[in-house]
Amino acid sequence: MVQKPATRRANFVMFIAPALFLYALFFLLPFGQGLRISVTNWDGLTPKTPISMPKAEFEEKILNRIESEKDRDYVLSIYTYDEASGEYSRLSIRGLKRYRLERIIKKVGYSPDLYRDVGLDNYRSIFRGQVDERFYPRRYEQVNFNANSDLPQEVDGASYEKDFLTKLTPEQKDLASQFYVKRGKSYILAPGKDEFNIEDPVWMLPEVDSGAITSAAVDDFIAGVKKAGLGQNEAAFAESKGAFVAQGKFAAGSLPVIDKCAQELFSVGKFKALLSEKWRVTKTDLGVIGFTIFFALGNVLISNFLAFWIALALDQKGVKSRNVLRSIFFMPNVLSMVVVALIWSFLFFHLLPQITGIQTWMSDPAKAPWLLVFVSVWQSSGYYMVIYLAGLQNIPQDIIEAAMIDGASPRQRLRHITLPLLAPSFTVCIFMSIANALKCFDLVYAMIGPSGYAVGTVPFVMDIFFDAFARKQAGLANAKAALLFLTIAVVTGLQLKMMKKKEVQL
Amino acid sequence: MKFRVKPVHFLEAFMIILAFLYLFPILFVFLSALKPDAEIMLHPLALPSKLYLDNFVKAWTVMKFPKTVLTTFLITLFGVAGILLTSSMAAWMLARTNTKYSWVLYSLFAFALVIPFQIIMVPLSVLASDMNLTNPQGLVLLYWGLGAPMAVFMYHGFVKSVPKELEESAAIDGAGTGYIFFKIVLPLLKPITVTIAILDALWIWNDYLLPLLIIKQGTLQLAQMAFNGQFLKEYGPLTASLVLSALPIMVFYLFEQKYIIKGIAAGAVKG
């Protein structure tokens, strides 16, 4: 080489600078800021410098503490004092201007309530479980009927029998059989037990119809009796009925109607209380953490197995349509996650209910996690299949032939030649599937979005997204993201280390 | 010679059926897009009774299709071109210089491969708005920075397998570093360039979260999602919009599949 050292150094800088600068600015800097935010209680909105502040407070906390004259002038050039409101305020500022103002205001020791250093509190609250209850796996009791609502006209037969009727004493069963009658797969509310039907005769009474009794009084009566019924409180029941009748404007013929209505509403209350107390199911929710692990494991195992198996089949001698099939299996991979998600949503919401008769797919907590794994496998396994197929085709034919001459069975050839020689492909595919599954956002977001919490299908990355932008907890979100970063680094690091050791060199 | 049924034929038949099942959702969406809503509801699996293009007309106008595609295309084109240029230069220089700086810088790039986007997402969107980058041009710049680690990593691996002798003899003949890189090295890097270009083009074209945070609307994926919320119950226009947004990349794939599949396989071995 004939270059002078100075030229060499200049070239080194010139060639590396563009990529390094952009990478540092848009990746490393935000990464550092992200870690910094993770030790604050920032909500993601509050600016570090106040937008407006009362005069006295502004002078005491900020202006009077600024030491340099230049800085004070700078602050005053941004904030203007408004006589009418008695406040200092500023317009929105960006870029270097903002950074300079933030530096000055930080130096005087001011920080807004929602942008304070909280040390490791975010991390601590994650480890101690002081986060949203839907974060960790949990068991919870699902209440199928809320005592404050009306009795539904129709209930799901399977759950009603299994989770409610079986828990009742014979006496309670008697009561239940007066209310719900089996019809086909569901139970139907007996017409006489419908609350509107029960109340109707009272509303039709001539005294109410003519306005002698106000509708407010009828509402009070009905509400009182219902409430008494829920608690089976005889005294309260007698009181609200008594108060209604005691208005003294009823004809003798109206009293039995009132009495009947009150009695029936009282028994409805009893049944409602029973229903809400007994018709409960204990359920398990995977939570964010549980689903993330489930999704990652499902993806790694199923997509790699499927991809390897398809590659093996396509690699067989005599498969004529190999290239066409390979192209087809790879095809879902070029589609965006959003398109894939919407294609499958369309199938789950429209086609499958129609041809199978099963109505709920993505909205069923028992199916949703599996369906998401299924769609993700459908989308990604073609990618891994291409890698396995390339690996298989790189295995030298003479080794296999030598094994065949030695009399190795196909199973032995697979076990002792193909698998070991394919180890590098396995390493790469498993590495990529772990990282992709843990980072998968678009697909789940487009398929289910925020309602994922209801069916237990919120991956870690989506929970972080909601923390940051919907729940206004940017500090917590970044602490979670930092933990995710550590997890991915450790898991993939261990996996690479373990699997690289097993790879054989030809 | 007589044709004999061998086990491999059963296998092939089975794989063809499996491939059809793989394709089925895409075909189904395509078929539905050609039917009026009523027909989609009544006969979901039947072929369209006659050619019906209203769905496409509606989706085309609502998504502002030509403009959206052009924007997405330009973002992808300039994004990929920038990544390729800056990363190949940096990676070549890092691979060919044997100092502790080059090792440190290389490790710095490789470090980013395990960082999930979520940890930089909040500060990056603040930074972008501070720097006035919340527009398609700004998005392109962000992609240059975000795409650098992977590209540098892959180029670096490839450069090490390219013999040095050509460059050395050119240097002895008095060629400058710029000349050596652009006229001698870059053509040699073509295989890995194709791979990286394909991977990055698929990534940028299909990306959803970064455009959502930075420009909010205007790319194909964003238009697709917005459309979905608007027309949830109108299956016809919804499926037509899916076909429209999948079409450009599908056509690209059908014509370039040989390179794409080769590129993916090659990239995996290098990566």
Side-chain angles (χ1 to χ4, degrees), chain B residues 48-103:
Chain B
S49 55
K50 62 178 195 306
L51 197 63
Y52 177 84
L53 292 175
D54 285 13
N55 294 331
F56 285 97
V57 174
K58 194 163 187 182
W60 182 281
T61 34
V62 172
M63 292 172 81
K64 302 196 187 79
F65 192 69
K67 191 170 169 248
T68 312
V69 165
L70 186 68
T71 314
T72 318
F73 176 73
L74 290 178
I75 292 175
T76 310
L77 181 71
F78 287 108
V80 171
I83 294 173
L84 292 178
L85 182 69
T86 55
S87 304
S88 60
M89 282 164 58
W92 174 67
M93 198 41 103
L94 287 174
R96 287 292 187 244
T97 346
N98 213 353
T99 64
K100 64 173 187 284
Y101 294 114
S102 55
W103 186 84

Short mmCIF file of all heavy atoms in Angstrom, two decimals, chain B residues 48-103:
data_model
loop_
_atom_site.label_atom_id
_atom_site.label_comp_id
_atom_site.label_asym_id
_atom_site.label_seq_id
_atom_site.Cartn_x
_atom_site.Cartn_y
_atom_site.Cartn_z
N PRO B 48 -67.34 -16.40 -8.70
CA PRO B 48 -68.21 -15.24 -8.96
C PRO B 48 -69.13 -15.52 -10.15
O PRO B 48 -68.70 -16.10 -11.14
CB PRO B 48 -67.23 -14.11 -9.29
CG PRO B 48 -65.87 -14.64 -9.04
CD PRO B 48 -65.92 -16.10 -8.82
N SER B 49 -70.40 -15.10 -10.03
CA SER B 49 -71.33 -15.42 -11.12
C SER B 49 -71.05 -14.56 -12.35
O SER B 49 -71.25 -14.97 -13.47
CB SER B 49 -72.78 -15.22 -10.65
OG SER B 49 -72.92 -13.90 -10.17
N LYS B 50 -70.61 -13.31 -12.12
CA LYS B 50 -70.14 -12.52 -13.26
C LYS B 50 -69.07 -11.55 -12.77
O LYS B 50 -68.92 -11.35 -11.56
CB LYS B 50 -71.31 -11.76 -13.89
CG LYS B 50 -71.99 -10.77 -12.96
CD LYS B 50 -73.09 -10.06 -13.72
CE LYS B 50 -73.60 -8.81 -13.03
NZ LYS B 50 -74.06 -8.93 -11.68
N LEU B 51 -68.34 -10.99 -13.71
CA LEU B 51 -67.25 -10.12 -13.32
C LEU B 51 -67.81 -8.84 -12.68
O LEU B 51 -68.64 -8.15 -13.27
CB LEU B 51 -66.43 -9.76 -14.57
CG LEU B 51 -65.04 -9.20 -14.27
CD1 LEU B 51 -64.19 -10.23 -13.56
CD2 LEU B 51 -64.37 -8.76 -15.56
N TYR B 52 -67.35 -8.55 -11.47
CA TYR B 52 -67.90 -7.42 -10.72
C TYR B 52 -66.74 -6.61 -10.17
O TYR B 52 -65.97 -7.12 -9.34
CB TYR B 52 -68.78 -7.98 -9.60
CG TYR B 52 -69.37 -6.94 -8.68
CD1 TYR B 52 -70.53 -6.26 -9.01
CD2 TYR B 52 -68.76 -6.65 -7.46
CE1 TYR B 52 -71.08 -5.32 -8.16
CE2 TYR B 52 -69.30 -5.72 -6.59
CZ TYR B 52 -70.46 -5.06 -6.95
OH TYR B 52 -71.00 -4.14 -6.10
N LEU B 53 -66.56 -5.40 -10.66
CA LEU B 53 -65.33 -4.67 -10.30
C LEU B 53 -65.58 -3.47 -9.39
O LEU B 53 -64.65 -2.75 -9.05
CB LEU B 53 -64.62 -4.20 -11.58
CG LEU B 53 -64.04 -5.34 -12.43
CD1 LEU B 53 -63.47 -4.81 -13.72
CD2 LEU B 53 -62.97 -6.11 -11.66
N ASP B 54 -66.83 -3.28 -8.96
CA ASP B 54 -67.14 -2.11 -8.13
C ASP B 54 -66.32 -2.06 -6.84
O ASP B 54 -65.93 -0.99 -6.38
CB ASP B 54 -68.63 -2.09 -7.77
CG ASP B 54 -69.47 -1.66 -8.95
OD1 ASP B 54 -68.89 -1.64 -10.06
OD2 ASP B 54 -70.66 -1.36 -8.77
N ASN B 55 -66.08 -3.25 -6.27
CA ASN B 55 -65.29 -3.31 -5.05
C ASN B 55 -63.93 -2.65 -5.25
O ASN B 55 -63.44 -1.91 -4.41
CB ASN B 55 -65.06 -4.76 -4.61
CG ASN B 55 -66.35 -5.42 -4.19
OD1 ASN B 55 -67.26 -4.73 -3.72
ND2 ASN B 55 -66.43 -6.71 -4.38
N PHE B 56 -63.32 -2.97 -6.39
CA PHE B 56 -61.99 -2.43 -6.66
C PHE B 56 -62.04 -0.92 -6.86
O PHE B 56 -61.17 -0.20 -6.41
CB PHE B 56 -61.38 -3.11 -7.89
CG PHE B 56 -60.90 -4.49 -7.60
CD1 PHE B 56 -61.69 -5.59 -7.89
CD2 PHE B 56 -59.67 -4.69 -7.01
CE1 PHE B 56 -61.26 -6.86 -7.59
CE2 PHE B 56 -59.23 -5.95 -6.72
CZ PHE B 56 -60.03 -7.05 -7.01
N VAL B 57 -63.10 -0.47 -7.53
CA VAL B 57 -63.24 0.97 -7.77
C VAL B 57 -63.29 1.69 -6.42
O VAL B 57 -62.60 2.68 -6.18
CB VAL B 57 -64.50 1.25 -8.59
CG1 VAL B 57 -64.72 2.75 -8.71
CG2 VAL B 57 -64.40 0.61 -9.96
N LYS B 58 -64.11 1.13 -5.50
CA LYS B 58 -64.27 1.76 -4.20
C LYS B 58 -62.96 1.75 -3.42
O LYS B 58 -62.52 2.78 -2.89
CB LYS B 58 -65.36 1.02 -3.41
CG LYS B 58 -65.82 1.78 -2.21
CD LYS B 58 -67.14 1.21 -1.74
CE LYS B 58 -67.73 2.06 -0.64
NZ LYS B 58 -68.99 1.51 -0.15
N ALA B 59 -62.33 0.57 -3.36
CA ALA B 59 -61.07 0.46 -2.61
C ALA B 59 -60.01 1.38 -3.21
O ALA B 59 -59.26 2.04 -2.49
CB ALA B 59 -60.59 -0.99 -2.62
N TRP B 60 -59.96 1.42 -4.54
CA TRP B 60 -58.98 2.24 -5.25
C TRP B 60 -59.09 3.71 -4.82
O TRP B 60 -58.11 4.36 -4.50
CB TRP B 60 -59.22 2.10 -6.76
CG TRP B 60 -58.27 2.83 -7.65
CD1 TRP B 60 -58.30 4.16 -7.94
CD2 TRP B 60 -57.16 2.29 -8.36
NE1 TRP B 60 -57.28 4.47 -8.79
CE2 TRP B 60 -56.56 3.35 -9.09
CE3 TRP B 60 -56.62 1.00 -8.49
CZ2 TRP B 60 -55.45 3.15 -9.90
CZ3 TRP B 60 -55.52 0.82 -9.30
CH2 TRP B 60 -54.94 1.88 -9.99
N THR B 61 -60.34 4.23 -4.79
CA THR B 61 -60.51 5.65 -4.45
C THR B 61 -60.26 5.90 -2.96
O THR B 61 -59.60 6.86 -2.60
CB THR B 61 -61.91 6.16 -4.82
OG1 THR B 61 -62.83 5.10 -4.63
CG2 THR B 61 -61.98 6.64 -6.24
N VAL B 62 -60.80 5.01 -2.10
CA VAL B 62 -60.66 5.28 -0.66
C VAL B 62 -59.19 5.22 -0.25
O VAL B 62 -58.72 6.03 0.56
CB VAL B 62 -61.49 4.29 0.16
CG1 VAL B 62 -61.20 4.44 1.64
CG2 VAL B 62 -62.97 4.51 -0.10
N MET B 63 -58.44 4.27 -0.79
CA MET B 63 -57.03 4.15 -0.41
C MET B 63 -56.15 5.15 -1.14
O MET B 63 -54.95 5.20 -0.89
CB MET B 63 -56.50 2.74 -0.70
CG MET B 63 -57.10 1.67 0.15
SD MET B 63 -56.58 0.06 -0.44
CE MET B 63 -54.97 -0.06 0.30
N LYS B 64 -56.72 5.95 -2.04
CA LYS B 64 -55.93 6.83 -2.92
C LYS B 64 -54.79 6.01 -3.51
O LYS B 64 -53.61 6.35 -3.36
CB LYS B 64 -55.38 8.02 -2.14
CG LYS B 64 -56.46 8.85 -1.48
CD LYS B 64 -55.89 10.21 -1.06
CE LYS B 64 -56.88 11.01 -0.26
NZ LYS B 64 -56.98 10.59 1.16
N PHE B 65 -55.16 4.93 -4.16
CA PHE B 65 -54.19 3.89 -4.48
C PHE B 65 -52.94 4.36 -5.23
O PHE B 65 -51.82 4.11 -4.77
CB PHE B 65 -54.88 2.75 -5.23
CG PHE B 65 -54.03 1.53 -5.36
CD1 PHE B 65 -53.73 0.76 -4.24
CD2 PHE B 65 -53.53 1.16 -6.59
CE1 PHE B 65 -52.95 -0.36 -4.36
CE2 PHE B 65 -52.72 0.03 -6.70
CZ PHE B 65 -52.44 -0.73 -5.58
N PRO B 66 -53.08 5.08 -6.36
CA PRO B 66 -51.86 5.43 -7.12
C PRO B 66 -50.88 6.24 -6.27
O PRO B 66 -49.68 5.94 -6.24
CB PRO B 66 -52.39 6.27 -8.28
CG PRO B 66 -53.84 5.99 -8.36
CD PRO B 66 -54.29 5.61 -6.99
N LYS B 67 -51.41 7.22 -5.52
CA LYS B 67 -50.53 8.09 -4.73
C LYS B 67 -49.87 7.28 -3.60
O LYS B 67 -48.67 7.40 -3.36
CB LYS B 67 -51.37 9.23 -4.14
CG LYS B 67 -50.53 10.31 -3.52
CD LYS B 67 -51.37 11.53 -3.17
CE LYS B 67 -50.55 12.46 -2.33
NZ LYS B 67 -51.03 12.56 -0.96
N THR B 68 -50.68 6.45 -2.94
CA THR B 68 -50.15 5.65 -1.84
C THR B 68 -49.06 4.71 -2.32
O THR B 68 -48.00 4.60 -1.69
CB THR B 68 -51.29 4.84 -1.20
OG1 THR B 68 -52.38 5.71 -0.97
CG2 THR B 68 -50.84 4.24 0.11
N VAL B 69 -49.31 4.05 -3.43
CA VAL B 69 -48.31 3.11 -3.95
C VAL B 69 -47.03 3.85 -4.33
O VAL B 69 -45.93 3.40 -4.02
CB VAL B 69 -48.87 2.32 -5.15
CG1 VAL B 69 -47.75 1.64 -5.90
CG2 VAL B 69 -49.84 1.28 -4.67
N LEU B 70 -47.20 4.99 -4.95
CA LEU B 70 -46.02 5.75 -5.36
C LEU B 70 -45.20 6.16 -4.13
O LEU B 70 -43.97 5.98 -4.11
CB LEU B 70 -46.43 6.99 -6.17
CG LEU B 70 -45.25 7.76 -6.75
CD1 LEU B 70 -44.56 6.94 -7.84
CD2 LEU B 70 -45.69 9.11 -7.32
N THR B 71 -45.88 6.68 -3.11
CA THR B 71 -45.16 7.07 -1.88
C THR B 71 -44.41 5.88 -1.30
O THR B 71 -43.22 5.96 -0.98
CB THR B 71 -46.16 7.59 -0.82
OG1 THR B 71 -47.05 8.49 -1.44
CG2 THR B 71 -45.43 8.26 0.32
N THR B 72 -45.13 4.76 -1.14
CA THR B 72 -44.50 3.58 -0.55
C THR B 72 -43.32 3.13 -1.39
O THR B 72 -42.26 2.77 -0.87
CB THR B 72 -45.52 2.44 -0.44
OG1 THR B 72 -46.75 2.97 0.02
CG2 THR B 72 -45.05 1.37 0.52
N PHE B 73 -43.51 3.17 -2.72
CA PHE B 73 -42.45 2.73 -3.62
C PHE B 73 -41.21 3.62 -3.47
O PHE B 73 -40.08 3.12 -3.35
CB PHE B 73 -42.95 2.77 -5.06
CG PHE B 73 -41.89 2.44 -6.07
CD1 PHE B 73 -41.45 1.13 -6.21
CD2 PHE B 73 -41.31 3.43 -6.84
CE1 PHE B 73 -40.45 0.83 -7.12
CE2 PHE B 73 -40.31 3.13 -7.75
CZ PHE B 73 -39.88 1.82 -7.89
N LEU B 74 -41.43 4.94 -3.42
CA LEU B 74 -40.28 5.85 -3.31
C LEU B 74 -39.57 5.68 -1.97
O LEU B 74 -38.34 5.67 -1.91
CB LEU B 74 -40.74 7.30 -3.50
CG LEU B 74 -41.16 7.64 -4.93
CD1 LEU B 74 -41.65 9.06 -5.03
CD2 LEU B 74 -40.00 7.40 -5.91
N ILE B 75 -40.36 5.54 -0.90
CA ILE B 75 -39.74 5.32 0.41
C ILE B 75 -38.88 4.06 0.37
O ILE B 75 -37.73 4.04 0.82
CB ILE B 75 -40.81 5.20 1.52
CG1 ILE B 75 -41.51 6.54 1.73
CG2 ILE B 75 -40.19 4.72 2.83
CD1 ILE B 75 -42.66 6.48 2.70
N THR B 76 -39.44 2.98 -0.20
CA THR B 76 -38.70 1.72 -0.27
C THR B 76 -37.44 1.88 -1.11
O THR B 76 -36.35 1.48 -0.70
CB THR B 76 -39.59 0.61 -0.86
OG1 THR B 76 -40.82 0.61 -0.15
CG2 THR B 76 -38.93 -0.74 -0.72
N LEU B 77 -37.61 2.49 -2.30
CA LEU B 77 -36.48 2.63 -3.22
C LEU B 77 -35.33 3.40 -2.58
O LEU B 77 -34.19 2.92 -2.51
CB LEU B 77 -36.95 3.33 -4.50
CG LEU B 77 -35.89 3.52 -5.57
CD1 LEU B 77 -35.57 2.17 -6.20
CD2 LEU B 77 -36.34 4.50 -6.64
N PHE B 78 -35.63 4.61 -2.09
CA PHE B 78 -34.56 5.43 -1.53
C PHE B 78 -34.04 4.84 -0.22
O PHE B 78 -32.85 4.91 0.07
CB PHE B 78 -35.03 6.88 -1.35
CG PHE B 78 -35.14 7.61 -2.64
CD1 PHE B 78 -36.38 7.92 -3.17
CD2 PHE B 78 -34.00 7.94 -3.36
CE1 PHE B 78 -36.49 8.58 -4.39
CE2 PHE B 78 -34.09 8.59 -4.58
CZ PHE B 78 -35.34 8.92 -5.09
N GLY B 79 -34.95 4.26 0.55
CA GLY B 79 -34.52 3.62 1.80
C GLY B 79 -33.49 2.53 1.52
O GLY B 79 -32.39 2.52 2.08
N VAL B 80 -33.84 1.62 0.60
CA VAL B 80 -32.94 0.50 0.30
C VAL B 80 -31.63 1.02 -0.30
O VAL B 80 -30.54 0.60 0.11
CB VAL B 80 -33.62 -0.50 -0.65
CG1 VAL B 80 -32.64 -1.54 -1.13
CG2 VAL B 80 -34.79 -1.16 0.04
N ALA B 81 -31.74 1.95 -1.26
CA ALA B 81 -30.52 2.45 -1.91
C ALA B 81 -29.56 3.06 -0.88
O ALA B 81 -28.36 2.80 -0.90
CB ALA B 81 -30.89 3.49 -2.97
N GLY B 82 -30.11 3.86 0.03
CA GLY B 82 -29.26 4.48 1.05
C GLY B 82 -28.60 3.47 1.95
O GLY B 82 -27.41 3.57 2.26
N ILE B 83 -29.39 2.48 2.39
CA ILE B 83 -28.82 1.45 3.26
C ILE B 83 -27.68 0.73 2.55
O ILE B 83 -26.60 0.53 3.11
CB ILE B 83 -29.90 0.42 3.68
CG1 ILE B 83 -30.95 1.08 4.56
CG2 ILE B 83 -29.26 -0.75 4.42
CD1 ILE B 83 -32.12 0.19 4.88
N LEU B 84 -27.93 0.35 1.28
CA LEU B 84 -26.91 -0.40 0.54
C LEU B 84 -25.63 0.41 0.42
O LEU B 84 -24.53 -0.10 0.68
CB LEU B 84 -27.43 -0.76 -0.85
CG LEU B 84 -28.57 -1.77 -0.89
CD1 LEU B 84 -29.01 -2.01 -2.33
CD2 LEU B 84 -28.16 -3.08 -0.25
N LEU B 85 -25.76 1.68 0.06
CA LEU B 85 -24.57 2.49 -0.18
C LEU B 85 -23.78 2.71 1.12
O LEU B 85 -22.60 2.35 1.21
CB LEU B 85 -24.97 3.84 -0.78
CG LEU B 85 -23.79 4.75 -1.10
CD1 LEU B 85 -22.99 4.16 -2.25
CD2 LEU B 85 -24.25 6.16 -1.43
N THR B 86 -24.44 3.24 2.15
CA THR B 86 -23.70 3.58 3.37
C THR B 86 -23.16 2.32 4.04
O THR B 86 -22.02 2.30 4.50
CB THR B 86 -24.59 4.35 4.35
OG1 THR B 86 -25.77 3.59 4.60
CG2 THR B 86 -24.99 5.70 3.81
N SER B 87 -23.97 1.26 4.07
CA SER B 87 -23.53 0.07 4.80
C SER B 87 -22.41 -0.66 4.09
O SER B 87 -21.49 -1.17 4.73
CB SER B 87 -24.70 -0.90 5.01
OG SER B 87 -25.72 -0.24 5.66
N SER B 88 -22.48 -0.71 2.73
CA SER B 88 -21.41 -1.44 2.05
C SER B 88 -20.09 -0.71 2.23
O SER B 88 -19.04 -1.34 2.45
CB SER B 88 -21.76 -1.61 0.57
OG SER B 88 -21.91 -0.33 -0.04
N MET B 89 -20.14 0.63 2.17
CA MET B 89 -18.90 1.40 2.37
C MET B 89 -18.32 1.14 3.76
O MET B 89 -17.14 0.80 3.92
CB MET B 89 -19.19 2.91 2.22
CG MET B 89 -19.32 3.37 0.78
SD MET B 89 -20.08 4.99 0.65
CE MET B 89 -19.00 6.00 1.61
N ALA B 90 -19.20 1.25 4.77
CA ALA B 90 -18.71 1.08 6.14
C ALA B 90 -18.20 -0.33 6.36
O ALA B 90 -17.12 -0.54 6.93
CB ALA B 90 -19.82 1.41 7.12
N ALA B 91 -18.98 -1.32 5.89
CA ALA B 91 -18.60 -2.70 6.16
C ALA B 91 -17.29 -3.05 5.48
O ALA B 91 -16.42 -3.72 6.06
CB ALA B 91 -19.71 -3.65 5.69
N TRP B 92 -17.11 -2.59 4.25
CA TRP B 92 -15.87 -2.89 3.53
C TRP B 92 -14.68 -2.29 4.28
O TRP B 92 -13.67 -2.95 4.50
CB TRP B 92 -15.96 -2.33 2.11
CG TRP B 92 -14.68 -2.47 1.33
CD1 TRP B 92 -14.13 -3.64 0.92
CD2 TRP B 92 -13.82 -1.42 0.92
NE1 TRP B 92 -12.96 -3.39 0.25
CE2 TRP B 92 -12.74 -2.03 0.24
CE3 TRP B 92 -13.84 -0.02 1.04
CZ2 TRP B 92 -11.69 -1.30 -0.31
CZ3 TRP B 92 -12.81 0.70 0.48
CH2 TRP B 92 -11.74 0.06 -0.18
N MET B 93 -14.83 -1.03 4.67
CA MET B 93 -13.73 -0.37 5.38
C MET B 93 -13.43 -1.08 6.70
O MET B 93 -12.27 -1.30 7.06
CB MET B 93 -14.12 1.10 5.62
CG MET B 93 -12.98 2.02 5.95
SD MET B 93 -11.48 1.77 4.99
CE MET B 93 -11.55 3.09 3.82
N LEU B 94 -14.48 -1.47 7.41
CA LEU B 94 -14.28 -2.15 8.70
C LEU B 94 -13.60 -3.51 8.50
O LEU B 94 -12.73 -3.90 9.28
CB LEU B 94 -15.61 -2.34 9.42
CG LEU B 94 -16.24 -1.08 10.02
CD1 LEU B 94 -17.62 -1.39 10.58
CD2 LEU B 94 -15.36 -0.51 11.12
N ALA B 95 -14.00 -4.21 7.45
CA ALA B 95 -13.45 -5.54 7.25
C ALA B 95 -12.00 -5.48 6.78
O ALA B 95 -11.21 -6.38 7.03
CB ALA B 95 -14.29 -6.30 6.23
N ARG B 96 -11.64 -4.38 6.09
CA ARG B 96 -10.30 -4.31 5.52
C ARG B 96 -9.29 -3.60 6.42
O ARG B 96 -8.11 -3.57 6.11
CB ARG B 96 -10.35 -3.58 4.17
CG ARG B 96 -10.97 -4.40 3.06
CD ARG B 96 -10.12 -5.59 2.68
NE ARG B 96 -10.64 -6.25 1.50
CZ ARG B 96 -11.10 -7.49 1.48
NH1 ARG B 96 -11.11 -8.21 2.59
NH2 ARG B 96 -11.55 -8.03 0.37
N THR B 97 -9.77 -2.96 7.48
CA THR B 97 -8.83 -2.31 8.41
C THR B 97 -8.71 -3.18 9.64
O THR B 97 -9.72 -3.62 10.20
CB THR B 97 -9.34 -0.93 8.86
OG1 THR B 97 -10.40 -0.55 8.01
CG2 THR B 97 -8.25 0.10 8.85
N ASN B 98 -7.47 -3.38 10.04
CA ASN B 98 -7.26 -4.31 11.14
C ASN B 98 -6.79 -3.58 12.39
O ASN B 98 -5.70 -3.80 12.87
CB ASN B 98 -6.24 -5.36 10.72
CG ASN B 98 -6.56 -6.69 11.36
OD1 ASN B 98 -7.46 -6.75 12.21
ND2 ASN B 98 -5.85 -7.72 10.98
N THR B 99 -7.61 -2.67 12.89
CA THR B 99 -7.23 -1.98 14.12
C THR B 99 -8.28 -2.25 15.18
O THR B 99 -9.32 -2.83 14.88
CB THR B 99 -7.17 -0.45 13.90
OG1 THR B 99 -8.50 -0.02 13.57
CG2 THR B 99 -6.24 -0.09 12.77
N LYS B 100 -7.97 -1.79 16.42
CA LYS B 100 -8.96 -2.07 17.46
C LYS B 100 -10.21 -1.22 17.26
O LYS B 100 -11.31 -1.60 17.61
CB LYS B 100 -8.36 -1.88 18.85
CG LYS B 100 -7.92 -0.49 19.21
CD LYS B 100 -7.53 -0.48 20.70
CE LYS B 100 -7.24 0.92 21.20
NZ LYS B 100 -5.94 1.48 20.77
N TYR B 101 -10.06 -0.04 16.60
CA TYR B 101 -11.24 0.78 16.32
C TYR B 101 -12.23 0.03 15.44
O TYR B 101 -13.43 0.04 15.67
CB TYR B 101 -10.85 2.07 15.61
CG TYR B 101 -10.02 3.00 16.45
CD1 TYR B 101 -8.71 3.28 16.11
CD2 TYR B 101 -10.57 3.58 17.59
CE1 TYR B 101 -7.94 4.12 16.89
CE2 TYR B 101 -9.81 4.42 18.38
CZ TYR B 101 -8.49 4.69 18.02
OH TYR B 101 -7.75 5.52 18.80
N SER B 102 -11.69 -0.60 14.41
CA SER B 102 -12.61 -1.26 13.49
C SER B 102 -13.35 -2.40 14.20
O SER B 102 -14.53 -2.62 13.95
CB SER B 102 -11.88 -1.76 12.25
OG SER B 102 -10.82 -2.59 12.61
N TRP B 103 -12.66 -3.07 15.11
CA TRP B 103 -13.32 -4.15 15.84
C TRP B 103 -14.42 -3.58 16.74
O TRP B 103 -15.54 -4.10 16.80
CB TRP B 103 -12.30 -4.94 16.65
CG TRP B 103 -12.94 -6.12 17.30
CD1 TRP B 103 -13.16 -7.34 16.71
CD2 TRP B 103 -13.49 -6.20 18.62
NE1 TRP B 103 -13.81 -8.16 17.59
CE2 TRP B 103 -14.03 -7.49 18.76
CE3 TRP B 103 -13.57 -5.29 19.68
CZ2 TRP B 103 -14.65 -7.91 19.94
CZ3 TRP B 103 -14.18 -5.71 20.85
CH2 TRP B 103 -14.72 -7.00 20.98
#
